[in-house]
Amino acid sequence: PPEARPPDARRQVAQLTALAEHHFEWNIDRLLGLAADASVPVIVVSPPTNYRFAALTPFDGDGPGSADDLARLVQEAEDLSASAEHAAARDRWQQAIDRSARPREATSGVLDILGELARQRDCTMVDGEALFYAGSTDGLTVSGLFWDDLHPSLQGHALLADALEPPVRALLAR
């Protein structure tokens, strides 16, 4: 019999990520559909990522998502940050998240799906990342806006509440 080969971890993670994104899309689309059927307006907030504290797990071996690849992407992000190319720095970090063997933060696919569904369902969209990083001096640090490197702190929630007030008032004025 042929010798057993180790599983293709990258392929498996890609399949699981695609499945998770599919389920996310189905669930959010269903919720937005139910809200639309009931004439309930929805405000969608894209989740901000605390980039410097994002959990990155490398794949074994060479290639996308390897320890060397993730380290290169993080270094490129830091270099872009130092050059005041803040959006590009966050984009590079997002690439590292997307290539991680165990993505814990929102993948680009999830963020794209959320934005597309909000557009399709004519929802008001608030960009959480832009909101959290607007006052960042280096484009990668949002001091005090997360309490555990993932969830917004009281200050982060206050920032979100302030950003949500105008669209909520506009909806109430209808």
Side-chain angles (χ1 to χ4, degrees):
E3 187 175 311
R5 294 186 314 172
D8 180 356
R10 284 181 177 84
R11 182 181 50 79
Q12 289 176 345
V13 168
Q15 289 173 335
L16 288 172
T17 300
L19 182 61
E21 290 170 356
H22 173 75
H23 282 263
F24 176 80
E25 181 174 20
W26 186 87
N27 283 313
I28 298 300
D29 188 47
R30 181 150 168 83
L31 288 170
L32 293 177
L34 291 169
D37 291 346
S39 299
V40 174
V42 175
I43 300 171
V44 175
V45 179
S46 64
T49 298
N50 196 358
Y51 289 101
R52 284 207 170 106
F53 296 95
L56 300 176
T57 303
F59 286 100
D60 292 333
D62 296 329
S66 68
D68 288 343
D69 181 51
L70 296 179
R72 177 185 57 78
L73 289 168
V74 168
Q75 185 59 56
E76 288 176 7
E78 293 297 336
D79 292 345
L80 288 163
S81 171
S83 299
E85 296 179 60
H86 299 160
R90 290 191 300 277
D91 195 48
R92 199 67 88 238
W93 260 104
Q94 187 64 52
Q95 288 177 23
I97 290 167
D98 291 345
R99 291 183 185 183
S100 179
R102 293 187 189 134
R104 290 182 17 200
E105 283 72 26
T107 63
S108 292
V110 164
L111 297 172
D112 292 346
I113 288 165
L114 189 59
E116 183 58 30
L117 289 175
R119 280 186 289 283
Q120 288 174 4
R121 295 288 188 169
D122 197 28
C123 299
T124 300
M125 184 84 179
V126 173
D127 185 344
E129 179 180 306
L131 183 64
F132 271 45
Y133 287 94
S136 175
T137 58
D138 65 4
L140 292 173
T141 305
V142 290
S143 299
L145 298 181
F146 292 96
W147 66 270
D148 68 349
D149 301 333
L150 179 62
H151 298 92
S153 65
L154 182 59
Q155 183 182 358
H157 278 100
L159 186 64
L160 288 167
D162 288 345
L164 289 169
E165 184 179 357
V168 167
R169 285 191 184 280
L171 290 172
L172 291 173
R174 284 189 199 175

